[in-house]
């Protein structure tokens, strides 16, 4: 096995900085939702569309992908999320299989291989099980048609770049970068993927959740009027962690405990809360121009991250988004999005209300269960990806998800420093969280992995 070392900076020198590109397209709705607007209230209010039908992308979300070309998938990242995405991919279509697995650690690869044999009767031979920091290259070069990139977020831009260079369709779990350098690489690679007519879908599964898609359509139709602001939350208990074990190198410990280290995960405002921020950037079609926020660390056991953030974003047209996230046990949970408009408001509970608080539209979850067998957004995102590949219709979700990811990074950096961050300054910043001595087998300088402290130090007299 080659020396397990990697320096991402060498991948970034030639990366061009490119602007965010919106996704547009046309599609048919898959579920008719009940609405007071279309019922007894019809005619009382003339809706003015925010966007004209056909100018925005609506995915087709059948239970299963249309049969077509057989697809061989490689899995890069075989932990819990990677294993789940793999099974969802296999559930999403006929004629798809997994032929190669890669992870930093052998036990992760073997565990997923055992799961595939037990649950799907898929044998992954030993020569298709790749281990180490360079395993992604071996997976991509093994003869696969598509790859699922489910490594810790720091590595995703590099893996996406290599897959695109090789002409491979990519599924990228969210978030898709952790810093400005990764954002620039993602955006440059997305342009290359577009030029090669590749299909790139990301793990922002709300885009494939029928209740959200139907709500998005309603908002585009003008049901809540012009969007004037919003509030998004992801408050929950602490996630998992791994305390260091004897024999683990510095790098091995951090990667096995990756969700607690900012260079690997981006911090939880990026790794998890990006879902909620993404809903607002998707529905509004706006990116933030500046952010001011704060956060702190109270209960986290390992790593160098915060466990709470509160951020105020100013969007391109001057409206505001308030973002709040927390991972602390024993506190109330709240995972929701709210969007306010001039004529009403939408909440992720699946309701639109007018300015008096009266419900004028409500998503019909029971009808979805009656009309569809598959209601899981994690499967439906794979269905949509496979359908685009088989139909030869390219899709680029990387550019869109890069915007919401960078928004989360803006919030994180503001909280870390106590200063306002701006979109233009941050996308051009030299911010690169790559450890200078990244090596799986050697020692790393751990003195740099400290919890950020915002503001000026206290001057004692």
């Amino acid at each position: 096995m080659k020396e397990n070392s990697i320096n991402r900076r060498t991948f970034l020198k030639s990366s061009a900085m490119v602007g965010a590109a919106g996704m547009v397209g046309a599609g048919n709705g898959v579920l008719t939702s009940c609405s007071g607007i279309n019922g007894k209230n019809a005619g009382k209010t003339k809706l003015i569309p925010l966007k004209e039908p056909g100018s925005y992308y609506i995915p087709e979300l059948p239970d299963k992908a249309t049969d077509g070309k057989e697809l061989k998938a490689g899995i890069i990242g075989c932990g819990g999320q990677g294993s789940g995405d793999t099974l969802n991919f296999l559930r999403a279509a006929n004629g798809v299989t997994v032929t190669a697995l890669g992870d930093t650690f052998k036990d992760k690869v073997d565990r997923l291989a055992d799961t595939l044999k037990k649950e799907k009767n898929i044998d992954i031979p030993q020569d298709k099980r790749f281990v180490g920091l360079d395993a992604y290259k071996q997976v991509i070069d093994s003869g696969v048609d598509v790859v699922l990139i489910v490594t810790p977020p720091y590595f995703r831009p590099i893996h996406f770049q290599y897959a695109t260079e090789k002409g491979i369709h990519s599924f990228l779990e969210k978030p898709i970068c952790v810093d400005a350098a990764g954002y620039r690489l993602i955006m440059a690679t997305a342009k290359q993927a577009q030029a090669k007519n590749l299909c790139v879908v990301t793990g922002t599964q709300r885009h494939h959740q029928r209740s959200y898609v139907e709500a998005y359509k309603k908002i585009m139709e003008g049901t809540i009027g012009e969007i004037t602001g919003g509030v998004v939350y992801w408050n929950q208990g602490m996630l998992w962690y791994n305390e260091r074990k004897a024999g683990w190198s510095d790098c091995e410990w951090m990667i096995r405990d990756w969700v607690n280290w900012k260079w690997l995960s981006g911090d939880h405002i990026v790794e998890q809360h990006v879902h909620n921020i993404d809903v607002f950037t998707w529905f509004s079609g706006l990116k933030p121009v500046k952010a001011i926020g704060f956060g702190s660390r109270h209960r986290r056991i390992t790593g160098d991250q915060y466990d709470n953030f509160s951020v105020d974003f100013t969007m391109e047209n001057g409206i505001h988004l308030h973002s709040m996230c927390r991972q602390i046990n024993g506190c109330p949970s709240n995972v929701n999005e709210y969007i306010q408009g001039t004529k009403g408001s939408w909440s992720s509970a699946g309701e639109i209300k007018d300015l008096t608080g009266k419900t004028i539209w409500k998503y019909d979850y029971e009808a979805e269960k009656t009309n569809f067998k598959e209601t899981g957004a994690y499967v439906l995102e794979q269905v949509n990806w496979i359908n685009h590949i088989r139909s030869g219709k390219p899709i680029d979700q990387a550019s869109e998800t890069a915007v919401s990811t960078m928004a989360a990074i803006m919030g994180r950096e503001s909280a870390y420093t106590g200063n306002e961050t701006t979109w233009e300054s941050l996308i051009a910043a030299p911010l690169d969280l790559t450890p200078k001595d990244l090596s799986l087998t050697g020692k790393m300088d751990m003195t740099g992995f400290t919890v950020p402290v915002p503001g000026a130090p206290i001057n004692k007299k």
Side-chain angles (χ1 to χ4, degrees):
M1 184 172 62
K2 296 180 180 179
E3 171 67 18
N4 281 309
S5 62
I6 190 169
N7 186 342
R8 186 178 63 169
R9 292 187 179 90
T10 61
F11 288 89
L12 301 173
K13 291 179 180 178
S14 61
S15 298
M17 188 185 308
V18 294
M23 289 174 51
V24 296
N28 295 320
V30 295
L31 188 70
T32 300
S33 303
C34 59
S35 171
I37 290 291
N38 295 327
K40 58 186 177 183
N41 290 330
K44 291 185 178 181
T45 304
K46 183 179 179 180
L47 300 181
I48 301 175
L50 298 188
K51 294 182 180 179
E52 291 300 323
S55 67
Y56 49 89
Y57 177 73
I58 299 295
E60 296 183 2
L61 300 174
D63 286 324
K64 210 161 192 174
T66 302
D67 290 347
K69 175 188 175 182
E70 292 189 2
L71 297 173
K72 296 180 293 183
I75 311 302
I76 306 173
C78 301
Q81 185 70 57
S83 299
D85 285 345
T86 300
L87 295 176
N88 290 332
F89 171 79
L90 295 170
R91 180 175 169 178
N94 298 317
V96 298
T97 191
V98 175
T99 59
L101 302 177
D103 195 277
T104 307
F105 306 114
K106 185 177 185 299
D107 59 295
K108 303 284 189 182
V109 172
D110 290 343
R111 187 177 300 123
L112 180 52
D114 291 343
T115 297
L116 288 172
K117 176 60 177 176
K118 180 180 179 181
E119 297 190 17
K120 298 294 181 179
N121 198 30
I122 295 175
D123 280 307
I124 306 296
Q126 291 295 328
D127 64 354
K128 298 294 184 181
R129 302 183 190 188
F130 304 108
V131 176
L133 291 177
D134 59 354
Y136 71 98
K137 291 183 178 180
Q138 296 166 299
V139 170
I140 291 167
D141 292 340
S142 69
V144 297
D145 304 301
V146 304
V147 288
L148 282 71
I149 299 174
V150 204
T151 46
Y154 163 81
F155 296 106
R156 292 170 192 169
I158 308 167
H159 299 170
F160 177 39
Q161 182 191 48
Y162 192 76
T164 300
E165 287 177 354
K166 298 294 183 175
I168 304 297
H169 304 286
S170 294
F171 171 81
L172 290 166
E173 258 304 346
K174 60 76 214 167
I176 56 177
C177 58
V178 299
D179 52 28
Y183 167 82
R184 293 192 291 269
L185 182 54
I186 285 286
M187 294 300 291
T189 303
K191 290 293 186 184
Q192 296 168 2
Q194 292 171 24
K196 292 186 175 185
N197 294 321
L198 295 175
C199 297
V200 183
V201 166
T202 63
T204 47
Q205 78 275 359
R206 304 301 193 206
H207 290 251
H208 300 95
Q209 188 168 332
R210 294 191 185 100
S211 60
Y212 279 78
V213 172
E214 292 299 314
Y216 175 73
K217 288 164 61 177
K218 284 293 180 185
I219 291 175
M220 292 305 100
E221 291 168 6
T223 307
I224 69 169
E226 293 288 337
I227 294 173
T228 58
V231 186
V232 295
Y233 305 90
W234 196 311
N235 295 335
Q236 68 158 75
M238 187 177 69
L239 296 184
W240 56 269
Y241 66 94
N242 281 314
E243 294 183 332
R244 189 166 187 165
K245 294 183 179 179
W248 285 359
S249 67
D250 298 330
C251 188
E252 177 170 359
W253 175 40
M254 285 191 285
I255 294 178
R256 288 190 181 275
D257 188 46
W258 67 267
V259 79
N260 297 289
W261 298 88
K262 59 179 177 278
W263 75 271
L264 284 160
S265 77
D267 211 316
H268 68 98
I269 188 175
V270 179
E271 197 281 325
Q272 185 180 67
H273 187 44
V274 68
H275 276 303
N276 316 98
I277 295 171
D278 176 78
V279 169
F280 190 81
T281 57
W282 167 31
F283 278 39
S284 70
L286 301 169
K287 67 175 183 287
V289 293
K290 59 184 178 180
I292 185 70
F294 56 84
S296 60
R297 177 186 178 108
H298 296 294
R299 299 288 182 85
R300 217 169 194 91
I301 296 172
T302 61
D304 58 354
Q305 298 184 173
Y306 282 0
D307 53 24
N308 65 95
F309 291 87
S310 181
V311 182
D312 175 67
F313 292 99
T314 303
M315 309 305 287
E316 291 172 292
N317 63 352
I319 67 174
H320 284 253
L321 167 68
H322 180 217
S323 151
M324 182 190 297
C325 58
R326 179 180 62 210
Q327 291 183 352
I328 300 177
N329 291 343
C331 299
S333 296
N334 184 9
V335 181
N336 282 298
E337 302 92 27
Y338 301 90
I339 296 179
Q340 182 64 49
T342 55
K343 295 180 180 178
S345 61
W346 166 83
S347 78
S348 54
E351 292 186 348
I352 291 177
K353 296 182 179 182
D354 65 17
L355 295 178
T356 70
K358 178 182 177 182
T359 298
I360 58 175
W361 177 84
K362 188 174 183 179
Y363 183 73
D364 195 335
Y365 291 96
E366 291 305 315
E368 181 183 16
K369 293 177 183 177
T370 299
N371 295 329
F372 296 97
K373 295 179 180 178
E374 182 58 69
T375 59
Y378 296 104
V379 176
L380 293 175
E381 63 189 5
Q382 303 293 334
V383 169
N384 192 42
W385 183 41
I386 294 166
N387 272 340
H388 273 275
I389 295 168
R390 285 179 168 171
S391 66
K393 297 178 180 178
I395 181 173
D396 166 31
Q397 287 192 334
S399 296
E400 186 176 33
T401 305
V403 170
S404 53
T405 302
M406 179 51 78
I409 292 170
M410 285 176 63
R412 180 194 72 201
E413 291 303 303
S414 177
Y416 280 0
T417 62
N419 298 319
E420 182 180 85
T421 57
T422 68
W423 178 271
E424 293 300 328
S425 64
L426 198 55
I427 64 171
L431 178 63
D432 184 343
L433 300 184
T434 307
K436 63 181 179 180
D437 50 1
L438 177 56
S439 170
L440 189 60
T441 57
K443 290 186 176 181
M444 297 171 61
D445 180 4
M446 299 293 287
T447 60
F449 301 106
T450 58
V451 179
V453 178
I458 297 173
N459 295 318
K460 296 182 178 180
K461 293 183 178 180

